[in-house]
């Protein structure tokens, strides 16, 4: 190339070139994508048989010897892949085992179904869920129903993320029903809630109420355990009932919410607590709150901070007074 030709070349714009480089997407051929899927599940031997210079033509029939060889290679690949996942789950579970366990008997069918379902989970985040469930079952046999083992593999990453968001408002097996705008602002639109229903995490009947009666005889008093908070609702009349409109979690959904709680992935939402206080005040109740410092189980608090009375005002979001 002559020097004059070089002078005619415009100077490169680094910012433009970088932006263009970021938008370049290398096309993926369908056969290559199919090969990736086959290799991940069945092994490279099966992919080579499928893609070796065949183009769009169907592979020719094999002899029994070749078929047997390929079947053995596939079984070896599947077995090694699943074994590697099982080893990872067991190794990670060792670090989160409880200090003490309940003496109840184990369901002999639970463990085979657990490992059969968990062994295909190569995503580290999903493996963490399996690890936590195994540790919970070790601590208290029966903690993880078998329906969870059956349905968890069918949840997409998006559905798991939405369920994790929704679990951030769970009090036991329900979520207090608030105006749609409250949940919309937190990414939980009506479409998302419908999807949670379709996947069996949320009950389809939304016209449900949670009715609380007093836990003591001389006055009304009941406690709501919300992530790291105890919300105590009280009234002088022991016969009074406290009612909350609610979304109800299925057994599957409630179990996943407990798993997320045990994993430490959930944080209490102050505005959610304020809305509960407002609902209680409308029914004539007083509300106090304490921090959970230790749990004996998901429904029993072993240690908590002193209670503080809380009042939700019209103009000021929250007022508290230690008692």
């Amino acid at each position: 190339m002559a020097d004059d030709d070089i002078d005619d070349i415009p100077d490169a714009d680094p910012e433009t070139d970088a932006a263009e480089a970021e938008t370049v997407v290398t096309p993926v051929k369908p056969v290559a994508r199919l090969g990736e899927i086959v290799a991940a599940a069945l092994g490279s031997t099966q992919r080579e048989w499928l893609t070796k210079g065949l183009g769009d033509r169907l592979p020719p029939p094999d002899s029994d010897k070749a078929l047997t060889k390929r079947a053995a290679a596939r079984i070896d690949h599947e077995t090694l892949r699943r074994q590697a996942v099982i080893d990872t789950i067991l190794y990670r579970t060792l670090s989160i085992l409880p200090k003490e366990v309940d003496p109840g008997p184990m369901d002999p069918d639970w463990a085979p179904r657990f490992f059969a379902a968990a062994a295909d989970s190569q995503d580290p985040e999903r493996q963490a869920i399996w690890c936590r469930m195994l540790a919970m079952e070790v601590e208290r046999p029966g903690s993880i129903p078998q329906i969870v083992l059956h349905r968890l593999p069918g949840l997409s990453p998006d559905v798991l993320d939405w369920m994790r968001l929704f679990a951030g408002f769970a009090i036991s097996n329900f979520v207090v029903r608030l105006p749609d705008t409250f949940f919309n602002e937190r990414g939980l639109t009506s479409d998302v809630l419908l999807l949670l229903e379709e996947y069996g995490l949320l009950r389809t009947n939304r016209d449900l109420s949670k009715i609380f009666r007093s836990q003591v005889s001389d006055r009304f008093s009941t406690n709501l355990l919300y992530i790291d908070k105890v919300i105590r609702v009280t009234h002088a009349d022991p016969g009074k009932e406290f009612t909350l409109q609610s979304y109800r979690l299925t057994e599957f959904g409630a179990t996943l919410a407990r798993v997320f709680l045990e994993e430490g992935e959930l944080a209490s939402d102050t505005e959610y607590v304020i809305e509960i206080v407002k609902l209680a005040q409308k029914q004539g109740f007083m509300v106090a709150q304490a921090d959970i410092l230790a749990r004996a189980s998901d429904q029993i608090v072993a240690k908590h901070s002193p209670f503080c009375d809380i009042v939700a005002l019209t103009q000021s979001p929250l007022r508290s007074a230690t008692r």
Side-chain angles (χ1 to χ4, degrees):
M1 180 182 290
D3 291 342
D4 292 340
D5 294 333
I6 296 176
D7 292 338
D8 292 335
I9 298 176
D11 294 333
D13 185 344
E15 295 183 359
T16 303
D17 290 351
E20 291 177 353
E22 291 176 356
T23 58
V24 173
V25 178
T26 303
V28 178
K29 294 182 179 181
V31 172
R33 172 62 55 77
L34 176 61
E36 292 176 9
I37 294 173
V38 169
L42 307 177
S44 58
T45 299
Q46 191 73 46
R47 176 174 59 184
E48 291 170 4
W49 169 82
L50 181 66
T51 61
K52 56 180 180 181
L54 295 172
D56 295 328
R57 292 183 291 112
L58 291 175
D62 276 325
S63 65
D64 289 344
K65 183 177 180 180
L67 190 64
T68 301
K69 182 178 180 181
R70 194 164 62 253
R74 174 182 60 78
I75 293 171
D76 286 346
H77 172 83
E78 291 177 345
T79 302
L80 291 173
R81 171 175 55 79
R82 290 169 62 84
Q83 186 62 48
V85 172
I86 290 172
D87 289 352
T88 299
I89 289 173
L90 289 174
Y91 181 77
R92 293 175 63 177
T93 302
L94 285 173
S95 65
I96 59 172
L97 284 177
K99 295 180 179 179
E100 298 180 356
V101 299
D102 284 1
M106 290 285 296
D107 179 353
D109 293 332
W110 188 91
R113 291 175 182 172
F114 172 86
F115 288 109
D120 286 320
S121 297
Q122 299 189 68
D123 174 40
E125 290 188 7
R126 197 176 298 250
Q127 288 177 1
I129 295 175
W130 290 113
C131 293
R132 180 59 62 180
M133 290 197 304
L134 181 56
M136 291 169 66
E137 187 69 16
V138 167
E139 180 178 16
R140 188 172 296 107
S143 294
I144 309 298
Q146 292 194 28
I147 191 172
V148 179
L149 309 182
H150 174 69
R151 291 187 174 180
L152 178 58
L155 298 187
S156 69
D158 284 343
V159 173
L160 269 177
D161 288 341
W162 286 322
M163 183 58 204
R164 190 178 285 105
L165 275 176
F166 195 67
F169 304 101
I171 301 172
S172 184
N173 65 344
F174 74 96
V175 171
V176 178
R177 187 178 177 89
L178 298 175
D180 291 343
T181 53
F182 178 89
F183 293 106
N184 287 342
E185 291 171 356
R186 290 154 175 80
L188 292 166
T189 65
S190 58
D191 287 341
V192 169
L193 297 184
L194 283 172
L195 198 62
L196 295 182
E197 291 178 2
E198 291 178 9
Y199 277 89
L201 296 159
L202 189 60
R203 295 188 185 278
T204 55
N205 185 357
R206 299 191 181 186
D207 297 325
L208 295 173
S209 297
K210 186 75 173 178
I211 300 175
F212 297 89
R213 296 178 176 86
S214 181
Q215 297 173 340
V216 296
S217 59
D218 60 336
R219 65 190 186 285
F220 180 94
S221 180
T222 191
N223 296 319
L224 309 179
L225 305 187
Y226 169 54
I227 304 183
D228 59 348
K229 308 294 182 187
V230 184
I231 303 171
R232 175 168 290 174
V233 181
T234 60
H235 194 277
D237 182 3
K240 195 171 178 62
E241 294 181 345
F242 178 42
T243 303
L244 290 171
Q245 299 298 312
S246 64
Y247 298 102
R248 295 294 294 273
L249 299 173
T250 62
E251 186 176 42
F252 179 26
T255 302
L256 268 188
R258 287 193 291 111
V259 171
F260 294 142
L261 178 63
E262 290 283 343
E263 276 289 274
E265 297 183 3
L266 306 180
S268 55
D269 187 310
T270 301
E271 292 184 23
Y272 182 62
V273 174
I274 293 173
E275 293 301 321
I276 295 174
V277 173
K278 290 179 180 178
L279 293 173
Q281 288 178 174
K282 286 181 180 179
Q283 298 177 52
F285 291 94
M286 299 291 291
V287 182
Q289 174 184 287
D291 293 330
I292 297 175
L293 304 179
R295 286 180 183 253
S297 69
D298 58 301
Q299 294 296 318
I300 301 175
V301 175
K303 185 178 181 182
H304 61 76
S305 69
F307 277 94
C308 295
D309 293 328
I310 53 178
V311 178
L313 303 178
T314 304
Q315 300 297 328
S316 178
L318 188 66
R319 181 181 67 191
S320 66
T322 304
R323 69 177 184 182

